[in-house]
Amino acid sequence: MTTDLPIAGAGTDEPALFATMSTMRAMRRLKPEPVPDEMLEQLVQAAVWGPSGGNMQCYEYVVVTDRAVMARLAPLWKRCVDACLATTGKYAPKGMDDAAYGRTVAAIEYQRDHFADTPALIVPCYRFPEPRPDEEGLLASAQALGPAGTAHMAKTGTRFQALAEGSCVCPGVQNILLAARAPGLAANITIWHLMLEQEWKAALGIPEDMHTFAAVPVGWPQGNFGPVSRRPVADVIHRDRW
């Protein structure tokens, strides 16, 4: 593992949470054995405990365990994976050698080819409330931002909205990944389903105005958890300014 510090929690007095985070590799090879419903409910409970912008809590979670439903999703998953591997996933990321990336692709292809056997799938959703028209508030906002800031917001409103929704649901998704480790479950987060989001929503009966943010396969791992390989902290910190 590439790091500036020893693995927290491994022979130290640091909380075990740090050791868990330092060994949270994406585990894509899952056993077909089912995951008890009470465990899946615990994972969603962990997600609900996550922060929610403005405490709006406008999230919903679709939990798929039915084999017939998973079988209908499998062809959609294959199309999304194949599309990604043919484009952005065609080459190893910068700094990752071809052999290591080859192992990652092999795991991705295994998950693709065995997706119908995935024990459980959690799809986090979020519906941001419709804004309430408030002319006085809009004027006060424009005054606070100034002309340049207001113009910038007008140009980037769509991105701001997407990030606002994401910030409300993504902390809960990370909680799912962390909570899965407690009983020894494996999980990984992907957003590749978004390439065919409308078809996924149709297959799962998700309302048109509800946005999906991830597809999280969950199950018992075939392999072992181990140290992640990440850039050194010293290489990514900018103190006080860039």
Side-chain angles (χ1 to χ4, degrees):
M1 185 173 97
T2 303
T3 180
D4 298 310
L5 303 169
I7 298 176
T12 74
D13 294 329
E14 295 291 340
L17 174 62
F18 285 84
T20 298
M21 290 189 292
S22 71
T23 56
M24 282 185 61
R25 294 191 302 215
M27 304 290 279
R28 298 182 175 91
R29 291 185 171 92
L30 305 177
K31 298 177 181 178
E33 285 81 359
V35 177
D37 284 344
E38 57 268 25
M39 284 189 179
L40 294 172
E41 289 181 8
Q42 286 179 334
L43 300 189
V44 177
Q45 174 64 82
V48 168
W49 282 332
S52 173
N55 198 29
M56 290 181 287
Q57 304 185 40
C58 297
Y59 38 65
E60 309 283 346
Y61 292 86
V62 179
V63 180
V64 181
T65 56
D66 187 284
R67 296 297 88 203
V69 177
M70 207 74 76
R72 289 198 297 271
L73 295 176
L76 298 179
W77 182 256
K78 182 181 186 306
R79 290 167 59 194
C80 293
V81 172
D82 289 349
C84 185
L85 291 180
T87 52
T88 56
K90 192 172 184 178
Y91 305 103
K94 182 180 179 181
M96 187 176 190
D97 65 67
D98 290 340
Y101 188 59
R103 292 191 292 272
T104 296
V105 171
I108 291 170
E109 291 175 337
Y110 180 93
Q111 187 178 57
R112 175 198 64 192
D113 298 340
H114 295 81
F115 193 81
D117 297 325
T118 302
L121 183 73
I122 301 176
V123 181
C125 306
Y126 203 88
R127 181 194 288 116
F128 212 72
E130 288 294 325
R132 288 178 288 186
D134 181 353
E135 185 174 345
E136 182 179 347
L138 289 174
L139 288 173
S141 174
Q143 290 174 349
L145 294 175
T150 301
H152 178 74
M153 278 298 298
K155 291 189 295 184
T156 61
T158 300
R159 179 170 181 264
F160 186 90
Q161 173 83 6
L163 289 173
E165 285 186 314
S167 68
C168 291
V169 67
C170 288
V173 177
Q174 181 67 10
N175 275 8
I176 289 176
L177 302 183
L178 288 167
R181 284 291 299 278
L185 289 167
N188 73 285
I189 180 174
T190 176
I191 63 169
W192 290 353
H193 77 290
L194 291 172
M195 290 184 278
L196 295 173
E197 185 182 26
Q198 292 306 109
E199 294 183 50
W200 279 74
K201 288 168 68 172
L204 296 173
I206 297 173
E208 178 65 27
D209 61 344
M210 181 70 73
H211 293 161
T212 66
F213 282 84
V216 184
V218 180
W220 303 106
Q222 291 188 23
N224 300 314
F225 296 103
V228 298
S229 178
R230 298 291 186 265
R231 295 169 60 192
V233 171
D235 288 357
V236 301
I237 288 183
H238 303 268
R239 296 191 181 277
D240 299 321
R241 59 175 293 135
W242 190 275

